[in-house]
Amino acid sequence: MINKERLLKHLNAMQTISTIDDVPGINRIAFTDQDWAGRDYLIKQLKELNLTLRYDEFGNVIGRYEGKNPDAPAIMTGSHTDSVPQGGNYDGLAGIAAALEVITDLKETNTHLNHPLDIVLFMCEESSRFGSATLGSQAMRGQLSRERLQTLCDKKGLSLYDVLKERGFNPDIIPQSKFTTPLKAFLELHIEQGIVLEKTNHTIGIVTGIAASTRYKIHIHGTAGHSGATPMNHRYDGLCAAAEIILATEQIAQNNEPIPVVATVGVIEATPGVMNVIPGEVTLGLDIRSISAEAKDRATRSILHAITEIGHKRDIPIDTSLIADEMPLMVKNTMIEAMETVAKNKPYNYMTLPSGAGHDAMNWGDYTDVGMIFIPCREGVSHNPAEAINIDDLVTGTEFLKDIILHLDKQ
């Protein structure tokens, strides 16, 4: 029987660990002391369950509940430990708490699976610190080169490579440390981070596809000048060029049919940033997402073409640097059908829907069958201190996760 009090215990403990005086919300930023304290707490829970633990050089952790056939491919479940700055307490953590509770329940009821069951704790899923998301699962999949580890930097100029070394890891071997353990399936429970489930009064969301992002830094090399003494027809205003780029990005995304694409300029850094100087150097952060790789690529090409045209028109040099280009995932019909079979047998109050946000699960689609479960979050709010769930929804989601694991174990 799934235990609500145990779920709350983990959520409350992690909330206490992740709170900083005078800073609202949850602050487990990747590889910070709060993130590491949360990781230590979760490792302690894995040890108390007597799971066999494995660690990699990125800090990811896997705890194994051995099956009757230790040579069978494992079923893996879990999520990420980190948060955005001033975030909520359920993003990522809900999936880990659910995985811990599933194994606790299996052990309490003396239920032994045929397949091993692995709980995974992914590091650095959020892009808040290094500008690129799902880095822990990418590291496990062998997708992070040494150059990329050195190129990805936080706002203080610290590279991911150096941060890993500070935590006692050897980042030089990460590119060669690809995960090779056979898997039967990867399952991730997560809050929806949207409003669909709540608005339609569904408790369970069976995810049909996971959107992925392409991200660029755009560097606009305008010319700073006196705001009063420089005539309008002699200006090379970097921020005006940026404004055109932002509006062009919005228009291109809005006109992308028939498969939806969303595009956001979420970062604007203008120099020197004072009222009486024409902005010269401007840097933008561009994020483009879709569940369709083709639609995302088409929109990206159009946006990059528009940036080039704006630069030519204004006679302002503009260059772009690619930060991330992730592959979206369409969940296999066989997995969706299996999840719907489980949902109908209970029955669970469910619907199918795509995920507009990226998740670690999407990096496993070329390695194993992937399934993703959504539970509602209040008013669709996430990445925000106001992020909230109904704990009974997490109990139901955890029961559904367990039922899917039992179903797949018999296949």
Side-chain angles (χ1 to χ4, degrees), residues 242-263:
E244 286 199 53
I245 291 170
I246 293 167
L247 292 174
T249 296
E250 179 187 49
Q251 184 178 36
I252 290 166
Q254 286 176 336
N255 294 337
N256 198 88
E257 297 291 346
I259 300 174
V261 171
V262 294

Side-chain angles (χ1 to χ4, degrees), residues 83-97:
S83 78
V84 299
Q86 300 181 30
N89 197 39
Y90 308 100
D91 179 3
L93 181 57
I96 295 173

